Amino acid sequence: MTTTVYAPARTVLRVEIRTAAGWHPVCGLDLLSHGRGVAALLPDGTQAAVFLGRTGDVYAIGNRDPFTGAYVLSRGLLGSAPSAQGSRPFVASPLLKQRFDLATGRCLDDEEVAVPAYRVRVAEVAA
């Protein structure tokens, strides 16, 4: 008699970004570090900056700094700014230091400027 042993099913957590074309996988959640960003190339050729905040929330905004045109927001520093709703997480551009709200993409230093903000989800997928 032969006994077959099956490995237990394993799932991983994957970060996905919503664009007009639907949900797109970016990377495993385990590849993100708290307080650091990564750049992701989206199917339409644009770039997103993806962040794992210190509280565990995942955010995605456009990676292009509108003040310089450089694709560097994923390398910015994370912080939080007081607001009427509590504190708001932001990323400061590594070049000219303008701050962008991670939830809305709005520039906190110039209200007429914003970058795209993307919906993000963390999905369980079979490994």
Side-chain angles (χ1 to χ4, degrees), residues 11-75:
T11 60
V12 295
L13 298 176
R14 179 174 68 191
V15 176
E16 299 177 345
I17 293 177
R18 174 87 179 175
T19 67
W23 288 100
H24 303 285
V26 174
C27 65
L29 182 62
D30 61 327
L31 296 177
L32 297 178
S33 297
H34 288 280
R36 298 214 182 241
V38 297
L41 183 62
L42 300 177
D44 66 359
T46 60
Q47 291 184 24
V50 182
F51 299 93
L52 177 60
R54 286 169 175 60
T55 61
D57 294 323
V58 181
Y59 303 94
I61 61 172
N63 194 34
R64 183 178 177 275
D65 180 339
F67 292 95
T68 64
Y71 292 86
V72 296
L73 292 182
S74 62
R75 295 186 298 198

Side-chain angles (χ1 to χ4, degrees), residues 33-127:
S33 297
H34 288 280
R36 298 214 182 241
V38 297
L41 183 62
L42 300 177
D44 66 359
T46 60
Q47 291 184 24
V50 182
F51 299 93
L52 177 60
R54 286 169 175 60
T55 61
D57 294 323
V58 181
Y59 303 94
I61 61 172
N63 194 34
R64 183 178 177 275
D65 180 339
F67 292 95
T68 64
Y71 292 86
V72 296
L73 292 182
S74 62
R75 295 186 298 198
L77 298 174
L78 295 186
S80 60
S83 73
Q85 298 83 21
S87 68
R88 300 291 298 190
F90 68 81
V91 62
S93 172
L95 298 178
L96 300 177
K97 309 301 185 240
Q98 282 88 0
R99 300 168 301 150
F100 296 91
D101 186 309
L102 290 177
T104 66
R106 298 204 58 150
C107 181
L108 301 177
D109 303 301
D110 184 338
E111 61 189 39
E112 295 181 15
V113 178
V115 295
Y118 299 96
R119 286 185 52 208
V120 177
R121 71 180 180 190
V122 176
E124 281 190 19
V125 294

